[in-house]
Amino acid sequence: MSAITITDRSIPFTSTIPANATQQVRLFVREYDGTRPGHERRPVLMLHGRSAPAAASFDLVLPRDFGDGGPEDRYSWARYLAGAGYDVFIMDIQGNGQSTRPAVMDVPCNANPAQQLPVLVPNPLPQPCTPHYDRQLGNSESEWAELTAVVRLIRGLSTDRDKPIECIGWSAAAFVLGPYALQHPADVARLILLAPIFPPQGRWSTRIGDPFGRPPEAPTMPVSQPPKLFGFPLNVGSKSGFASSWDIEQGVPEQREPGMTDQVWEAMIATDDVGLKWGRPSDPHGPPEGVLRFRNSYWWGWNDETVPLTDDSGTPVLGGRVPVLILYGAHDTQANNSPALPPAAHFSVPDLYQAIAGREKLMFRYADAGHMMAWERPAKFLHHMSRQWLDEGKVEGLTTGSYLRDANGEITPVH
C-alpha cells in the first residue's frame, strides 16, 4: 500500500443559493492522494447524501480496539481507494458538513416545523415556531454549480485536464451526480451509486430553459410548494431518531458492530459548533446531546424519463458513455419504499437499473446490509467491489446484469 497524503481544502465559491446568492462562501474538500511515484493521478470524487457529511460518510475512523478490532480506518472508503493508488476527493455541499452553512440555517425557527418539537424544544426553542425563511435552501442547479467547481479543481491538479473523473455517490447524491453525468458525460469516467435515491416519477424541472431540452413548465425558479416540504431551509435530526432509522434496517445482529451508532453520530456532528449546542441533554443535568443540521434542497431532473437520455450520436449516456455500478442493501427501506407514496416520494433502486438504457450497467443487492452499508460489516465487500469496477470495469468478472450477494459471498443472478 502506498503512502497517503491527506489535504483539507477550503474552495472559494460564489454562491448561487437564493439565501446568500453572490456571496463568497467556502466548499470543503478533503483529498486523499494515494498516487504512486511515477504514476498519473487517477482522481475519484465522492459525494455525500442528504444528511450525513462527507467526512463521516467516507472517512469514518474508529477508536483503537473498537468493536471487532482491526484497522481504525476499516470503514474509510476514501482511504481504501487511496491505498489502491487513487487520488480521492470528498466534498460537502453548501449547507452540510464543513462547507459554508448560510446564516438562515443558524436560526432555529427556520428548521422543519415537524422536527422542531422532538428535536429542538426546549433547547434552543422554548416552543415550536414558524420559519422566518419560508423556502428551501438549495436546489439542483445550485448543487450542480458547486459540483462543477470541485470538478474543475480536481482537473486542475492533473496533467491531463480533460481526463474524466470517477464519481461515487451515496443515497441522495444520486439526485446531483446522476443529472450531472447526463449533462456532462465527458466529465465522468464511471459512476458508482451506493443505495441511490431514485423516484421513477420524480420531478422533471421547475425552470424555464430546462437543462435537458424539454419544453419549459414554469415557474421560473424552484418554489416552496408544497409548503410542508419546501417551506423551510433547514433539517435537524436527533441521535435517537438516527438510531431508530438504522435499527429498523438491521436484519441480523451481525449486520453491524455494537456501538456503531455512537461512533457514527459523533462523527456526523463533530464539526458543527452550532449544532453541538442544540438539542436535549443526554441526562437531566448534562450538556446538550447535539443535533445534525443539514440543508433542505429541491431536486429535479432524475426520473425514468431523464435516466435513458442519449447524447447527440444516439448513444445512451448512463450505461453507455458512463458505465454505472449500483450497490444497495436488501434491508434498505429508504432507497426502496412503498409505491403507494406520492410519485415524487416513491423510491426504487431496481427501477433505476431498469431505466438505464445502456448495457454497461451492473447492480448488486447485499442480503446482509441496509441503507447504511458503508458503516456496516459488508462495507469491506463494498470497498473491494468498487475498486474492481474502477480498476477493471467489471466486478467478479461481471460487466452487466443484476445480482444478489448473499451473506456467504455467493453471487446469483436476479431477474
Side-chain angles (χ1 to χ4, degrees):
M1 182 178 292
S2 61
I4 300 172
T5 301
I6 303 176
T7 305
D8 282 354
R9 302 178 185 273
S10 184
I11 311 304
F13 179 75
T14 302
S15 179
T16 60
I17 289 177
N20 62 352
T22 75
Q23 293 181 19
Q24 282 294 114
V25 299
R26 295 282 173 172
L27 301 178
F28 172 77
V29 177
R30 177 173 292 167
E31 178 186 5
Y32 311 77
D33 188 356
T35 305
R36 291 164 181 161
H39 288 71
E40 290 289 324
R41 289 176 184 261
R42 296 189 294 170
V44 177
L45 174 60
M46 308 183 81
L47 182 64
H48 63 83
R50 175 172 170 259
S51 57
S57 297
F58 305 119
D59 189 29
L60 181 67
V61 179
L62 302 171
R64 189 167 302 188
D65 300 326
F66 171 83
D68 290 348
E72 295 117 277
D73 61 355
R74 58 188 176 273
Y75 291 99
S76 177
W77 195 354
R79 298 191 194 201
Y80 174 86
L81 292 176
Y86 287 93
D87 190 11
V88 183
F89 299 81
I90 66 172
M91 69 170 288
D92 280 321
I93 291 289
Q94 195 179 171
N96 281 62
Q98 298 178 69
S99 287
T100 295
R101 283 186 171 88
V104 294
M105 295 185 71
D106 293 339
V107 180
C109 271
N110 284 335
N112 182 342
Q115 297 166 347
Q116 290 182 16
L117 183 60
V119 180
L120 300 183
V121 176
N123 175 45
L125 293 175
Q127 60 188 20
C129 49
T130 302
H132 304 165
Y133 185 86
D134 62 354
R135 62 193 300 180
Q136 68 281 351
L137 187 76
N139 55 69
S140 287
E141 187 172 60
S142 70
E143 297 189 6
W144 294 333
E146 294 175 21
L147 179 62
T148 298
V150 175
V151 168
R152 288 174 179 167
L153 162 74
I154 296 170
R155 283 184 149 180
L157 296 173
S158 301
T159 54
D160 182 359
R161 299 193 176 191
D162 294 326
K163 185 177 181 179
I165 296 169
E166 312 285 0
C167 291
I168 298 176
W170 184 2
S171 189
F175 279 109
V176 185
L177 284 176
Y180 181 86
L182 288 166
Q183 296 174 83
H184 307 283
D187 288 351
V188 183
R190 292 184 185 86
L191 182 60
I192 298 176
L193 297 175
L194 170 62
I197 303 296
F198 175 70
Q201 302 299 313
R203 305 175 199 91
W204 179 281
S205 177
T206 58
R207 299 194 72 253
I208 289 176
D210 192 322
F212 296 100
R214 187 172 166 123
E217 293 184 0
T220 59
M221 209 35 209
V223 295
S224 296
Q225 288 184 325
K228 183 177 181 181
L229 289 178
F230 302 108
F232 54 89
L234 170 66
N235 285 293
V236 290
S238 66
K239 183 178 180 179
S240 60
F242 169 68
S244 296
S245 67
W246 199 354
D247 288 346
I248 289 171
E249 296 186 348
Q250 189 165 3
V252 293
E254 296 78 18
Q255 190 169 317
R256 71 174 190 252
E257 295 183 61
M260 282 295 289
T261 299
D262 293 338
Q263 298 300 322
V264 174
W265 177 257
E266 293 302 322
M268 289 197 298
I269 68 172
T271 59
D272 182 7
D273 291 340
V274 174
L276 286 168
K277 299 173 184 175
W278 291 5
R280 298 176 179 178
S282 53
D283 62 71
H285 304 290
E289 190 173 59
V291 305
L292 178 64
R293 300 190 305 146
F294 54 99
R295 75 203 189 284
N296 184 30
S297 282
Y298 190 104
W299 294 304
W300 64 84
W302 186 236
N303 54 50
D304 59 11
E305 292 183 79
T306 60
V307 166
L309 287 175
T310 62
D311 63 13
D312 292 339
S313 70
T315 301
V317 175
L318 297 182
R321 291 190 61 184
V322 180
V324 182
L325 172 65
I326 299 171
L327 305 158
Y328 74 103
H331 302 295
D332 190 336
T333 59
Q334 298 185 50
N336 291 295
N337 58 20
S338 172
L341 291 168
H346 165 52
F347 308 137
S348 170
V349 178
D351 280 358
L352 170 59
Y353 178 83
Q354 292 296 331
I356 296 173
R359 285 280 302 162
E360 293 187 68
K361 60 178 181 178
L362 187 58
M363 181 168 73
F364 290 92
R365 178 164 61 100
Y366 288 68
D368 52 348
H371 195 71
M372 315 294 193
M373 194 196 321
W375 301 319
E376 296 174 341
R377 286 191 171 103
K380 59 186 176 183
F381 304 111
L382 165 68
H383 298 170
H384 172 68
M385 286 183 161
S386 67
R387 178 183 176 180
Q388 284 189 321
W389 182 252
L390 296 179
D391 283 350
E392 308 167 18
K394 53 189 175 182
V395 177
E396 306 300 337
L398 302 167
T399 59
T400 191
S402 174
Y403 300 88
L404 170 68
R405 185 195 179 283
D406 70 18
N408 296 317
E410 294 292 326
I411 294 174
T412 55
V414 175
H415 301 289

